[in-house]
Amino acid sequence: MQPTSLQIFESIGRHGAISEVAATNVRALLEANWRVSVVAADLCEALRPHVEWIPLHVPKKLFAYKWLSARHFLLKARGKTAFDVVHAHQPQISDSVDVFQCHYLTRAAAQSGSLPSWKGRQGFSRAQEEIVLRAEDRFYRRLSSLRGPRAPQILFNSPFTQQNFVSIYGEPQSSEILLCAAPDFAPPTPAQRAQARQKWAPEAAGKIVLGFMGGNIERKGYKRVLDAAARCENVFLLFGGPYADQIETPQRSVKNVGFIEDKASFFAACDALVMASEFEPLGVIAFEAASFGVPTIALASVGALEMMRPENAALEWGPHDSLDALGAKCRENAEAMRRGAQKVCEKFGRAAYNAHLVSVCESVAAKKNRYL
């Protein structure tokens, strides 16, 4: 008899990193011959023929209202049907599932000073974040206190997230780390790199090309990156990401490329990716860069650095380091760092992720059945 799984997330395979993680989970379980149902407001077309899709209502209201009302709509859609494993990604129902995948802690972001400012135009967004923050605190405190069969298996997306959770809310009954899967290693050919460099940065000449994909999101550290790039002599920065075109960038050695749709070509043009997030539990974009053979230069607050630096696929951007010097190291050690990027993709790739996830689900289902 096929084991059954219910995956719950607002969007699966359509929008954002967590959405992609949810889609990866569905594919992994399908490949392991599980029967999969999903509760989602949006589901990628490729998965629709292979799963039972239970529609989820998401109010088209303010962010805080959507967050606070989510528990009602998620549990209503979930219904009373029995599944071997119910797996969710949203803290609002973390006390009502068998597996909870924890990707982000708003309280940790607040402690790092990464939430929007109360001043100016951001004040309204900050007020909503504060409402969500206090509600999330309540859900996570409850989650950490659960014991016995009601306590879910928690999967943290990085050691960084796990450590922050324990520090803020206490030790949960059972948890482990399941890193987001790195894409398959597929570096561009020298000809593709040359073509991409001509497309994205013909002005760079012989300079080191660094890519930034954080857009205008302050937490991603765009101000730090632009300030550092302005002081460089040998770096050409490709500045992109969500709403990047709303940011006025220096003309000298910086090119604003807006939202980046063609990531393969973008990474092929870069000598390294720059990540300056003040709070980044993992940073899956670093894994994406590695899949194209591109190393990452990152602040210590970026979780992926802990996994990538031992493999020689990333450099830490310390408080006294210049992007000129770090970029030069990436170029000088390009082949060794490309091999390191390959190791990252093999070590943390989809095969390892899928095997780990299926093992967790099988263990949870067996334990759950013993309680029934």
Side-chain angles (χ1 to χ4, degrees), residues 238-252:
L238 294 176
F239 181 87
Y243 306 105
D245 53 2
Q246 295 182 5
I247 301 297
E248 186 176 345
T249 53
Q251 295 297 313
R252 179 177 173 270

Side-chain angles (χ1 to χ4, degrees), residues 212-217 222 226 238-249 255-260:
F212 175 76
M213 300 181 70
N216 75 340
I217 303 170
Y222 75 87
L226 290 176
L238 294 176
F239 181 87
Y243 306 105
D245 53 2
Q246 295 182 5
I247 301 297
E248 186 176 345
T249 53
K255 183 177 182 179
N256 194 322
V257 296
F259 184 76
I260 299 159

Side-chain angles (χ1 to χ4, degrees), residues 20-21 35 62 72 96 108 160 162 167 228 291 295 297 356:
E20 289 300 326
V21 171
R35 189 165 75 251
L62 298 175
H72 167 76
S96 304
F160 184 75
Q162 185 181 48
S167 173
S291 74
I297 297 169
H356 190 165

Side-chain angles (χ1 to χ4, degrees), residues 57-75:
H57 173 68
V58 177
K60 294 181 179 179
K61 301 269 187 178
L62 298 175
F63 167 63
Y65 177 81
K66 288 170 64 175
W67 205 99
L68 294 173
S69 65
R71 179 179 175 87
H72 167 76
F73 293 112
L74 288 165
L75 292 179

Side-chain angles (χ1 to χ4, degrees), residues 225-240:
V225 172
L226 290 176
D227 288 346
R231 295 193 297 270
C232 289
E233 296 294 332
N234 299 309
V235 160
F236 188 85
L237 177 70
L238 294 176
F239 181 87

